[in-house]
Amino acid sequence: MNEISSPIQLRKKPQDVDGGFNANVNGTVSHMPIPDCTRSSLADICLLLGIEDIDKPSDTLFLRRRVKAGQWIFSNGQKFDSVFIVYSGAIKTVLLDEVGNEQILSFPLRGDLLGLDGLHENCHPSQAVALTDCEVIVIPFGALIKLSHEHPSIATWFYCAMSRALAHEHALMGMLSTLCSEARVARFLISLSERYKKLGGSATHFSLPMTRQEIGSYLGMTFETVSRALSALQEAQFIDISRREVILKNLPGLLALKKIPSATTGRRLASAATATLHALEPCHNAPVRNEPATWLSAATQF
């Protein structure tokens, strides 16, 4: 069988280098044999991506690299020659400014394609970092183009992956420009829910692989604002959250959410609703403030 691996190296700071890499005196990293890796066939990749109608899969093998949490998969400024498919785990893609501040671009999960943004300038403008221990399949770009010519199904998947990235970017821009903080976090949780469900996991109970600060960077919010938004969603009974464990209790409500009323607005709405109920049913003494239906109605009016 033919084996294709990539000359791309994981760029690390010298103190981060482990047994798979050797740091020279000048701080550069030279490639050495990596014991913690394996190979994936084209059939394995097609199964992962749900690509069918491959009559004669190639016997070429592609490097499947294991990456520990916190390690780089590729770094900004690195020469582009391969793309990466997430086989397992969670990753973040990041832009760095002149002083090293992060702007999170995406959170790739199993089956997602990353690294394609390096094609334009022939070098990566961003970097990818493992959020959890993960595995990525390294596909040299030339090999991907060749496979796309040989197998129309692979070409279709490739075009769909690029289109999905554009649609994701447009949706994020719209969300950042129109939604308040609670609604942004709600949409983010809904997006994760849909992705985990597609991967065969639970749509309502999952663990966040990213920190609140990373969520804030992605959504254009501060760490404190993300924390307050999560607390507000929990108080309004849309979710339960403990550390990184999240339970979505009201998916339709999260999707319809526009803004959770402030304490003052909430008291005003509750007072008005209570007065209306008392006028209709003088003996009705139910606390309107804690009724989920009342909260959902109020939250979708703003």
Side-chain angles (χ1 to χ4, degrees):
M1 292 186 179
N2 300 321
E3 292 190 3
I4 292 182
S5 60
S6 171
I8 280 186
Q9 303 159 13
L10 296 184
R11 291 190 178 180
K12 301 180 181 180
K13 299 178 182 178
Q15 64 268 27
D16 291 335
V17 175
D18 57 27
F21 297 85
N22 180 41
N24 298 324
V25 175
N26 61 6
T28 61
V29 179
S30 60
H31 191 69
M32 294 178 61
I34 307 172
D36 196 19
C37 64
T38 184
R39 298 290 189 273
S40 291
S41 67
L42 179 59
D44 295 332
I45 296 173
C46 289
L47 181 63
L48 168 67
L49 301 176
I51 299 175
E52 301 178 351
D53 303 326
I54 302 294
D55 296 330
K56 296 180 179 180
S58 168
D59 61 356
T60 300
L61 296 178
F62 298 90
L63 177 67
R64 192 168 87 213
R65 179 180 296 158
R66 296 186 179 96
V67 185
K68 295 180 180 179
Q71 288 186 336
W72 298 357
I73 297 164
F74 58 82
S75 63
N76 58 306
Q78 182 174 315
K79 181 181 178 182
F80 170 81
D81 56 11
S82 296
V83 295
F84 304 82
I85 298 174
V86 184
Y87 186 81
S88 65
I91 296 168
K92 65 177 179 180
T93 58
V94 182
L95 276 179
L96 297 177
D97 64 15
E98 295 79 4
V99 295
N101 294 318
E102 289 189 351
Q103 172 61 57
I104 306 293
L105 302 175
S106 64
F107 295 108
L109 299 175
R110 178 177 170 85
D112 287 337
L113 176 71
L114 62 151
L116 191 60
D117 57 351
L119 177 61
H120 174 56
E121 296 287 347
N122 201 35
C123 68
H124 292 284
S126 61
Q127 65 183 33
V129 183
L131 289 172
T132 65
D133 290 351
C134 63
E135 293 182 273
V136 293
I137 300 173
V138 184
I139 303 182
F141 188 67
L144 178 60
I145 296 301
K146 180 181 178 181
L147 289 171
S148 297
H149 291 160
E150 295 174 350
H151 305 287
S153 296
I154 293 179
T156 299
W157 165 80
F158 184 46
Y159 297 141
C160 286
M162 291 189 289
S163 176
R164 184 166 57 248
L166 287 173
H168 170 269
E169 181 180 346
H170 295 165
L172 180 61
M173 291 177 61
M175 179 172 65
L176 296 182
S177 63
T178 60
L179 296 180
C180 68
S181 58
E182 296 96 341
R184 292 185 199 180
V185 174
R187 295 291 176 87
F188 176 73
L189 294 176
I190 286 290
S191 175
L192 279 181
S193 168
E194 293 172 346
R195 295 173 71 189
Y196 283 132
K197 182 179 180 180
K198 185 177 180 180
L199 294 174
S202 172
T204 57
H205 188 183
F206 48 84
S207 179
L208 297 172
M210 67 290 292
T211 66
R212 284 159 173 73
Q213 183 173 353
E214 288 165 337
I215 294 173
S217 174
Y218 177 69
L219 296 177
M221 299 159 55
T222 64
F223 164 84
E224 293 80 8
T225 304
V226 172
S227 296
R228 286 195 296 268
L230 289 170
S231 297
L233 292 173
Q234 180 163 258
E235 181 184 356
Q237 301 181 30
F238 287 107
I239 67 172
D240 277 335
I241 185 167
S242 176
R243 297 181 181 273
R244 295 195 185 188
E245 293 296 319
V246 180
I247 299 176
L248 307 187
K249 301 171 65 177
N250 187 342
L251 290 174
L254 286 170
L255 188 59
L257 182 68
K258 295 182 180 178
K259 183 178 181 181
I260 293 179
S262 65
T264 302
T265 305
R267 286 193 296 269
R268 176 174 56 79
L269 290 171
S271 177
T274 302
T276 301
L277 286 176
H278 278 299
L280 296 175
E281 301 180 35
C283 297
H284 194 300
N285 295 317
V288 176
R289 168 66 173 80
N290 293 323
E291 288 293 336
T294 302
W295 265 99
L296 179 57
S297 175
T300 56
Q301 290 175 5
F302 287 78

